[in-house]
Amino acid sequence: MKNKILLAGTLVMGLGMASCTESFLDTSSKTDSNTGTFYSTEGDAYRALIGCYDGWRQTNSNPGVSFFVASEVMSAECFGATGIGDGRGYQAIDRFDISQSPADLNLFENDWIRYYAGVYRCNELISRQEQINWKETDSKRGEYLGQAYALRALLYFDMVRLWGSIPLLTAPTSDNVPQSEPSEVFATIVSDLKYAIENIPATSGAFDGHITKYAAEAMLARVYLYYTGYYGSEPEGVTKAEALAAVEDVIASGNFSLVKEFKNLWRPAAGVATEKSADVATADDFIKLTGTYAGDDNPEVLLSMKFTSTQDYNGNNDGNRWLVMMGVRTLNSSTKPFGYGWGSCTVNPAFYKSYLSGDTRRDASIINLAADGYDVAEQAKDQREQTGYAVKKYTPMCYTDGTCSNSSLEHTQGFQEGQYQDYVIMRYADVLLMAAELGSPKALDYFNQVRDRAFGDSNHRVTALTQDVIMQERRWEFAFESINYWDLLRQGVDKAAQQLSINLDVVSGGTPDNITITADKVRATKGLCQIPYNQIVLSNNVLKQNAGW
């Protein structure tokens, strides 16, 4: 496997990070350590933990498809799209059909390499825990190791959903390891999350990019619901009662709440300052001018992936370059506040039209190009699979002079390097809806809290819950948050195939085009993605390709 070859220097790279999130990924003495002198003190453990977080972030800040983008391309919300001159790799992913781009035998290779690099960093810290001289009082052992275990769980949860059977590495190794059954991978994920829940103190500090006990509890419920839905049985190590108890504990903690207005969760929807000002000297100053935006670490956020505003092309790839993939093509300074992007993930018109009248989530989530005053015909000249709708929650933004609005005056990168909008992994709304789905005695109340916020009143409450009602609500609530596709799969591959199949006329480069996704392709692949062929070759065919690819 290629990860076998590349991971030897991963620890040193993790310890010598040159860029970091503004909240906590910052440390001194970044270049003096190596595996022979490291892992002695709690300070060393913390620096290694920073490397684990950076490894997690690298899965979505470097070239590659990105789990976030892939989840949307495969969903019922979006299409592959991109520009008319681009390759058709995103169409292969969207249609579960490699014949769309036969030469793309390694669609996810960068993602595969970076996920295993992240796992390696976590395994290094976990495996060295006994040689660290932990303090006798106020030891950070449980807190640091709990986060490392949770990060490993997050990495494996993405991988096992994307690829199914994958090599399961729980210690640093260069061995050519065969694929494990998904049940084994999920058992490790559950065990890791339980370790995090039991060892990260509930009072370990305010959320600033760290994984807390409550984030781990919420993720345990998400893992449980996915496994039971997709595989039809409970994962080893956790029951439905335990999954429900986990999210009920999050709710009972009183640490989280719904932001009053849905639009204020998203910087592009909340309204932003579009004129540059001398008052905008730092990223914090920019946030102050960001309309009614509730802030990156608002009371609804349990976990988000942090990025930086200091990305460059010298190895410091720590911005959210996936965001640029989702931006609308051909936009410029005259289209403020939305900035230029590469045009993937055009929105399915049927999804836009599915929202109920009065649901504020629609216009907070989706850009209706014509209604918002954009020249759709002009934009379509360079756009593949134009539908007239684009993602608003996550899109690049610009000032009137066309420069990236995420950049402060001290960081003037272009639109590709300067994006650092957080990507929210887990929101309190999800905790409420998972608790409802898991059968909480307060299920209706939890569900209707989310519904009331969406409509701004209590006139649209439901009086009875079914699986279909909950899943539809989740679709509207979590649009473009890398959730819909996995929610479809956990309702069964057959149902997902039916929901994803489509025959839709669109426009590509100003001329008529068609998107056809067949249920048979989804069934043939079981909704799983292509394992990179290079990895199969490098493993001497120890790795086996997923069916349908």
Side-chain angles (χ1 to χ4, degrees), residues 282-302:
T282 68
D284 287 340
D285 289 334
F286 173 75
I287 290 173
K288 293 174 184 175
L289 297 177
T290 312
T292 57
Y293 178 51
D296 291 347
D297 296 334
N298 64 70
E300 191 161 338
V301 175
L302 273 79

Side-chain angles (χ1 to χ4, degrees), residues 20 80 94 121-122 160 163 186 250 283 321 326 384 400 419 445 478 494 498:
C20 46
D94 190 22
R121 295 185 186 190
C122 295
V160 74
W163 297 303
F186 272 93
V250 176
R321 293 178 67 186
M326 299 174 74
R384 176 180 289 156
T400 51
Q419 305 295 337
D445 174 56
F478 305 119
D494 283 341
Q498 293 168 8

Side-chain angles (χ1 to χ4, degrees), residues 262-276:
F262 185 82
K263 70 177 182 64
N264 293 338
L265 286 165
W266 318 105
R267 191 174 286 169
V272 299
T274 58
E275 300 288 346
K276 272 192 172 178

